[in-house]
Amino acid sequence: MKIESSDRKIDELLKGNTFFIPRFQRAYSWEAEQIGQFWSDIIDNINDSYFIGSIVVYKRGRSSLALVDGQQRLTTITILLCAIRESYKKLGNEELANGLQAYIEQRTRDNKTVYVLETETSFPYLQEEVLKNSPADAPYDFGSEEEAISRAYSLFKDKIKESLDPILDNKERTGPENIEQASTFLSALRDAVFDLNVIVVTLDNEDDAYLIFETLNTRGKDLALSDLIRNHFTKFLKPTSGVDHATLKWGKVLETISSAPLALDADTFIVHSWQSRYDFVTKAKVFPRVKSLINSKNAKDHLNRFMSDSEHWRSIFDQEFKWGASEKDVKRSLRALRIFKVIQPTPGLLSLVRAYHDEIIKYGRLRDSISMIEKFHFSFNAVTSSRSSGGISGMYSSFGRQVFSAKDAAEVVTAISELKSKLRDREPDADEFRAGFNQIVYTKENSSQKALVQYILRKIAAHEMQPFIGETDDLTIEHLIPQASRKSGSKDSDIGRLGNLILIDTKTNDALANKDFKEKKKILTAKGYKLPDLLLNANELTSDIISKNTLRIAELARDVVWKV
């Protein structure tokens, strides 16, 4: 491997060279904070040389270099230069704008225009909307990378405007003098960018680039696991017939995850997918395992698996994705796991969902298995807040691998049966469950457990065949002892406990208002609501009755409704 390095200034780097952003590079992604810091660094060193680090490139041809490391910085610098160009034009200084454009685009020997940056991922947005020195002609799609480029471009133009406005509004000079001063500031800003110092490390070929890219970004540099794996796939899967299938497919994986209505992380997906198939490893150890297993012979199959897994994985967290109306029970169980805020089961859930979509198991088996997991984590996490030493995560990874390697439904059933035994062994004991259940409360002032309380009351009501009136999707939590009665001496702990709560429709809720328990009981029974004998036989709701009713619900929950 031949490596050359040289100290260069940005103007020297841009003049006479074009830079290609290879397919293994991540999309442009600088946020407002990074843009603001870069701007501050430029302004603070506007009359001095400033070192911005190194970039790594490999030779593609005459005057054409491909970026291995430093793409984010060079793209940001180019966007800033384009923002300065636009500001020159607003001042009416076309000559300086065109002079700057000579560093953004160049002419080939055939007198064709080429831009200093060539990218496939954001094409043609970057070229048409930013680099081009005239209105855009080509239509283009607008995705997450284009949004980041647009944000950076707008931020730089805003920063420049903030700097120019006081100059242009100066009442002590004439208008032309102000424009001249504004142009002087822009030229100083332009020169500060051109004078940035960088170390350029040049490689001979693309094969060396893959190795350097991987080495740079597994030794302390902040690069996502998803980027390293994309690099690994593109190393083995070269474009055919002009189509870069590896980049397109990996882009589909990332798009599936990033387009979810909730925040999902691609690196977490990769870890869960790997744990569900091959090995229980931490995020830090996934890439070494990927390198040892995925090669030129099997890369295509593994990439296709990641593609299908990305949809299955998203559907675990996004219940409106890929689930139909007939699969509502699975959706409910997955939604419950989100309420419990547990992620340990994900590798196991992923393998179950995969087996279902691969038609290895039927819907009933999937439904019952996920319901079993839901019931366990209701007791283990939602009620008792039990903590796992790591055994739970490892257990689900092992289960996921069993399901993944199963040859038929019978082997999956065996794996599910073994998991059921393990979950039962880990269930909290009765005293621990009752103590935790007694701590679940909901009041207006203590509403952090509202979703959990609604979930519990709905499941209990369904078990007791509560005849809801009105729209069941719009049920509310009713306090049998009104929350307002705390002024009369009732304890907060009594009012918020599950023994004092019932789930009712909104019309009934309006009818109950802040009436006393005796009146509420009459209205509820008249409307067809079922109340336990403990409440029906009581003339007033005391702390003792609330405690007994809470205990009744807790025992029903543990022994029947959520019994694994």
Side-chain angles (χ1 to χ4, degrees):
M1 181 187 298
K2 183 180 178 182
I3 302 176
E4 300 174 350
S5 66
S6 61
D7 297 335
R8 306 285 291 277
K9 290 188 176 182
I10 289 298
D11 63 339
E12 298 171 336
L13 194 63
L14 297 181
K15 199 65 175 175
N17 291 310
T18 59
F19 294 87
F20 174 73
I21 300 175
R23 50 207 285 270
F24 56 74
Q25 284 282 13
R26 57 179 168 175
Y28 182 74
S29 60
W30 269 27
E31 299 286 348
E33 183 179 356
Q34 293 165 294
I35 298 295
Q37 184 60 57
F38 183 74
W39 170 265
S40 297
D41 291 340
I42 298 292
I43 295 297
D44 291 344
N45 296 273
I46 201 163
N47 294 314
D48 300 309
S49 295
Y50 184 66
F51 177 64
I52 59 167
S54 63
I55 67 169
V56 182
V57 299
Y58 67 86
K59 299 174 182 176
R60 294 180 72 232
R62 183 179 176 274
S63 302
S64 178
L65 303 171
L67 281 161
V68 179
D69 191 59
Q71 169 229 350
Q72 302 283 324
R73 278 168 291 154
L74 194 56
T75 302
T76 302
I77 287 168
T78 307
I79 293 171
L80 174 54
L81 290 174
C82 291
I84 297 172
R85 176 200 66 205
E86 293 304 300
S87 297
Y88 273 137
K89 289 161 68 175
K90 283 187 177 181
L91 294 177
N93 202 327
E94 293 288 340
E95 184 177 2
L96 290 178
N98 293 334
L100 183 50
Q101 186 67 14
Y103 289 84
I104 298 167
E105 69 179 33
Q106 299 172 16
R107 291 282 179 177
T108 67
R109 290 179 175 179
D110 298 326
N111 201 33
K112 291 183 179 179
T113 298
V114 292
Y115 292 109
V116 68
L117 280 184
E118 179 186 352
T119 176
E120 296 173 319
T121 55
S122 62
F123 179 85
Y125 179 82
L126 177 64
Q127 289 81 356
E128 286 290 311
E129 286 292 332
V130 182
L131 303 182
K132 192 174 183 180
N133 193 21
S134 58
D137 292 324
Y140 48 79
D141 295 324
F142 197 87
S144 57
E145 183 177 23
E146 286 77 15
E147 183 178 341
I149 293 170
S150 176
R151 180 173 57 246
Y153 196 28
S154 297
L155 282 170
F156 279 136
K157 286 192 283 190
D158 289 344
K159 295 286 187 184
I160 293 171
K161 185 177 184 300
E162 289 172 10
S163 299
L164 292 183
D165 281 350
I167 300 174
L168 294 171
D169 293 339
N170 192 316
K171 306 300 182 185
E172 297 179 358
R173 293 189 298 257
T174 65
E177 288 174 336
N178 286 340
I179 291 175
E180 184 179 352
Q181 288 295 317
S183 293
T184 299
F185 169 82
L186 286 178
S187 296
L189 179 61
R190 175 204 62 192
D191 293 344
V193 177
F194 280 150
D195 287 342
L196 291 172
N197 288 307
V198 62
I199 294 177
V200 182
V201 179
T202 306
L203 309 171
D204 264 350
N205 54 60
E206 186 176 2
D207 290 336
D208 291 344
Y210 283 109
L211 179 59
I212 292 295
F213 178 86
E214 183 181 303
T215 303
L216 283 171
N217 293 294
T218 53
R219 294 185 179 177
K221 290 233 175 185
D222 183 19
L223 194 74
L225 173 62
S226 59
D227 294 316
L228 291 170
I229 291 183
R230 176 183 56 196
N231 173 56
H232 194 68
F233 277 124
T234 54
K235 178 167 61 176
F236 295 124
L237 301 173
K238 304 298 184 184
T240 56
S241 302
V243 180
D244 190 349
H245 293 286
T247 299
L248 291 173
K249 288 181 177 180
W250 193 252
K252 175 64 175 174
V253 169
L254 299 182
E255 177 63 22
T256 296
I257 295 168
S258 65
S259 62
L262 65 164
L264 297 177
D265 177 60
D267 285 3
T268 303
F269 154 67
I270 293 167
V271 173
H272 287 160
S273 177
W274 196 263
Q275 289 178 345
S276 75
R277 293 177 183 272
Y278 307 114
D279 198 6
F280 179 58
V281 291
T282 61
K283 176 181 173 180
K285 294 182 179 179
V286 167
F287 186 59
R289 302 297 175 90
V290 168
K291 287 176 60 181
S292 66
L293 181 62
I294 299 178
N295 52 47
S296 58
K297 294 180 180 179
N298 60 28
K300 182 178 179 180
D301 290 338
H302 280 283
L303 181 54
N304 289 335
R305 287 173 180 171
F306 272 122
M307 275 190 66
S308 59
D309 268 5
S310 66
E311 294 191 345
H312 302 329
W313 185 81
R314 172 176 165 177
S315 74
I316 292 171
F317 300 95
D318 177 9
Q319 286 76 53
E320 301 309 312
F321 184 76
K322 298 295 182 180
W323 295 111
S326 63
E327 298 162 322
K328 60 184 179 181
D329 290 332
V330 165
K331 292 167 65 175
R332 286 172 181 162
S333 290
L334 293 174
R335 194 173 291 116
L337 291 170
R338 284 185 59 196
I339 293 173
F340 307 159
K341 299 177 182 178
V342 293
I343 60 170
Q344 298 101 318
T346 309
L349 292 170
L350 179 55
S351 279
L352 285 171
V353 173
R354 185 193 301 126
Y356 168 61
H357 286 290
D358 289 346
E359 299 183 349
I360 296 174
I361 59 173
K362 295 186 181 297
Y363 175 71
R365 186 73 63 190
L366 175 72
R367 178 198 62 213
D368 294 345
S369 301
I370 296 181
S371 175
M372 172 185 72
I373 293 170
E374 171 197 359
K375 290 174 180 177
F376 169 76
H377 285 284
F378 171 73
S379 299
F380 191 81
N381 293 98
V383 176
T384 63
S385 300
S386 301
R387 294 186 178 275
S388 169
S389 61
I392 296 290
S393 297
M395 175 187 70
Y396 279 117
S397 175
S398 175
F399 168 69
R401 297 195 303 275
Q402 279 184 274
V403 173
F404 172 61
S405 60
K407 298 180 181 65
D408 51 36
E411 291 189 6
V412 177
V413 171
T414 298
I416 293 171
S417 179
E418 291 176 3
L419 177 65
K420 187 172 186 176
S421 296
K422 293 175 182 177
L423 294 179
R424 283 180 168 175
D425 289 342
R426 288 170 168 81
E427 281 188 294
D429 62 37
D431 290 339
E432 188 180 0
F433 185 91
R434 283 193 291 267
F437 202 83
N438 214 33
Q439 297 302 311
I440 299 173
V441 297
Y442 167 68
T443 63
K444 288 180 181 178
E445 291 74 20
N446 188 359
S447 61
S448 61
Q449 294 179 299
K450 181 179 180 180
L452 176 60
V453 167
Q454 287 178 316
Y455 163 79
I456 294 171
L457 294 177
R458 185 182 289 274
K459 295 280 281 189
I460 292 294
H463 175 76
E464 295 182 328
M465 294 183 289
Q466 188 69 265
F468 292 121
I469 312 299
E471 296 295 329
T472 57
D473 289 338
D474 193 25
L475 299 172
T476 61
I477 300 171
E478 172 65 18
H479 294 76
L480 296 175
I481 294 180
Q483 296 186 75
S485 68
R486 281 172 294 187
K487 298 175 183 177
S488 304
S490 298
K491 298 178 182 177
D492 285 0
S493 57
D494 289 338
I495 291 171
R497 287 162 69 189
L498 286 159
N500 185 50
L501 306 178
I502 185 173
L503 208 58
I504 60 174
D505 63 279
T506 53
K507 290 183 179 179
T508 303
N509 180 265
D510 292 339
L512 296 180
N514 286 324
K515 293 179 172 62
D516 63 20
F517 172 66
K518 198 170 183 179
E519 286 297 313
K520 286 185 176 183
K521 187 166 60 171
K522 287 180 182 179
I523 295 171
L524 287 168
T525 53
K527 286 184 173 288
Y529 280 92
K530 293 181 179 180
L531 295 176
D533 291 341
L534 187 64
L535 300 184
L536 283 174
N537 297 329
N539 290 322
E540 63 176 330
L541 206 50
T542 64
S543 178
D544 182 57
I545 292 176
I546 291 174
S547 294
K548 288 180 179 178
N549 194 39
T550 303
L551 178 61
R552 178 192 69 83
I553 299 172
E555 291 179 343
L556 179 63
R558 184 179 186 275
D559 298 337
V560 182
V561 180
W562 283 277
K563 182 68 177 176
V564 175

